[in-house]
C-alpha cells in the first residue's frame, strides 16, 4: 500500500524555524517527483514547493521563496521541507503528495499524506 | 484570492447531475492540463480527474471533466450522499518560474 506520513509540525514563534519530514513507503520513491501542499484552517489548498525525482529541479510558491527549502533523501525514502523565518500566515496543515504520473512534480498529486500541522504564533 | 475561480458552493439532490466550473487564464488552464481533487470532511484530498478528463483507477464514471479554452468543469451525475465534499481544480501555471495554482474550492451539498 502506498503511504505518505508527515511529521515535524508543531507550534513555533514568528521568525522561528521548523523542519518537516515525509516518510514514503509502498512504491519506488526515486521514480517520483514530490510536492508539499498546505491548507490553512478552514481555507483552500496552496502549493508550497515541488522537487523532481533526483532533486535536480525544485520549485517554490512566491509566498515561501527564499524562506523554505525542499529536499529529499532517496536512500531513506524521505522528503523534507526546511521552513525558516516563519510567519503567522504560514499556519496550516502541510501535506506531502506524490506526483501522479512520474518523476517530475507537474503532473498532479496522488496520493496525499494526512498532513502535519504547523502553527506560527507568539 | 485564488488564481483559478470556482463557485464557493453547489448543491443537488440524490440522482441529479451537478457541474462545478473553474475559470483561469492563458498561462494556466489555457495552456496546461486541469486536475480535480475531492476532499471529504476531515480527510486528505484525493485525485478525481487528471489531464482534463481522465479518471484514475477506482474513480466512478459518474465523475467527468472537460476543458474549453481557459475554463474547465467537473460534472457529477447520479449524485449520491457520499459525494458531499469540497472540490478543487488545479493547473500548472507557466507564469513567473512555474507553479501550481488551485481554485478556492467548491463545497458540494447533497440535499
Amino acid at each position: 500500500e502506498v503511504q505518505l506520513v508527515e511529521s515535524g509540525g508543531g507550534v513555533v514563534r514568528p521568525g522561528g524555524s521548523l523542519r518537516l519530514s515525509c516518510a514514503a513507503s509502498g512504491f519506488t520513491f526515486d521514480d517520483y517527483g514530490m510536492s508539499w501542499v498546505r491548507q490553512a484552517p478552514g481555507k483552500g489548498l496552496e502549493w508550497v514547493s515541488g522537487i523532481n525525482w533526483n532533486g535536480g529541479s525544485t520549485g517554490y510558491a512566491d509566498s515561501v521563496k527564499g524562506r523554505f527549502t525542499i529536499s529529499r533523501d532517496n536512500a531513506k525514502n524521505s522528503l523534507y521541507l526546511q521552513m525558516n523565518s516563519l510567519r503567522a500566515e504560514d499556519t496550516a496543515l502541510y501535506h506531502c503528495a506524490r506526483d501522479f504520473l512520474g518523476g517530475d512534480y507537474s503532473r498532479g498529486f496522488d496520493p496525499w499524506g494526512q498532513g502535519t500541522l504547523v502553527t506560527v504564533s507568539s | 484570492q485564488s488564481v483559478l475561480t470556482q463557485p464557493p458552493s453547489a448543491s443537488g439532490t440524490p440522482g441529479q447531475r451537478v457541474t462545478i466550473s473553474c475559470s483561469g487564464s492563458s498561462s494556466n488552464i489555457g495552456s496546461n492540463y486541469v486536475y480535480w481533487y475531492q476532499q471529504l470532511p476531515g480527510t486528505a484530498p484525493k485525485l478525481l480527474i487528471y489531464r482534463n478528463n481522465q479518471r484514475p483507477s477506482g474513480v466512478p464514471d459518474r465523475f467527468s471533466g472537460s476543458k474549453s479554452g481557459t475554463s474547465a468543469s467537473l460534472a457529477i451525475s447520479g449524485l449520491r450522499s457520499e459525494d458531499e465534499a469540497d472540490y478543487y481544480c488545479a493547473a500548472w501555471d507557466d507564469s513567473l518560474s512555474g507553479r501550481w495554482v488551485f481554485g478556492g474550492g467548491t463545497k458540494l451539498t447533497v440535499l
Side-chain angles (χ1 to χ4, degrees):
Chain A
E1 180 195 3
V2 174
Q3 201 168 13
L4 299 170
V5 179
E6 302 91 339
S7 60
V11 180
V12 62
R13 297 198 184 282
S17 298
L18 273 180
R19 188 193 195 209
L20 306 184
S21 298
C22 171
S25 60
F27 65 98
T28 304
F29 185 64
D30 56 12
D31 277 350
Y32 290 89
M34 300 290 295
S35 282
W36 289 97
V37 181
R38 68 185 180 184
Q39 187 167 28
K43 301 296 184 182
L45 302 171
E46 180 189 17
W47 177 74
V48 174
S49 181
I51 188 168
N52 76 331
W53 67 278
N54 66 355
S57 175
T58 60
Y60 299 90
D62 283 350
S63 57
V64 306
K65 200 172 291 185
R67 300 187 299 123
F68 290 11
T69 302
I70 192 171
S71 62
R72 63 190 296 160
D73 185 336
N74 288 343
K76 295 183 178 179
N77 289 345
S78 292
L79 175 73
Y80 305 102
L81 186 68
Q82 177 66 43
M83 304 187 297
N84 299 329
S85 303
L86 283 161
R87 306 166 180 167
E89 54 265 36
D90 295 319
T91 293
L93 186 64
Y94 284 73
H95 299 275
C96 68
R98 192 187 75 175
D99 187 272
F100 179 59
L101 291 174
D104 203 346
Y105 56 90
S106 61
R107 289 168 289 188
F109 312 111
D110 193 75
W112 300 55
Q114 288 301 312
T116 185
L117 183 62
V118 172
T119 303
V120 184
S121 174
S122 54
Chain B
Q1 192 80 352
S2 301
V3 174
L4 305 182
T5 301
Q6 296 180 237
S9 64
S11 64
T13 56
Q16 256 190 336
R17 181 178 187 270
V18 297
T19 61
I20 297 171
S21 62
C22 176
S23 176
S25 68
S26 59
S27 64
N28 42 66
I29 292 179
S31 52
N32 293 294
Y33 292 118
V34 177
Y35 298 76
W36 290 90
Y37 299 90
Q38 177 193 57
Q39 187 173 32
L40 297 169
T43 70
K46 166 192 165 186
L47 181 65
L48 207 56
I49 297 289
Y50 69 100
R51 290 189 169 178
N52 302 334
N53 55 19
Q54 303 298 302
R55 282 185 308 277
S57 173
V59 173
D61 59 6
R62 301 186 298 106
F63 295 90
S64 62
S66 63
K67 173 184 140 175
S68 178
T70 58
S71 293
S73 63
L74 173 71
I76 309 171
S77 60
L79 198 62
R80 304 173 70 159
S81 59
E82 56 261 41
D83 297 333
E84 189 160 290
D86 293 323
Y87 293 84
Y88 294 91
C89 60
W92 183 258
D93 190 293
D94 294 324
S95 64
L96 305 174
S97 50
R99 55 177 179 160
W100 277 101
V101 291
F102 284 91
T106 298
K107 181 172 182 58
L108 175 63
T109 301
V110 181
L111 302 170

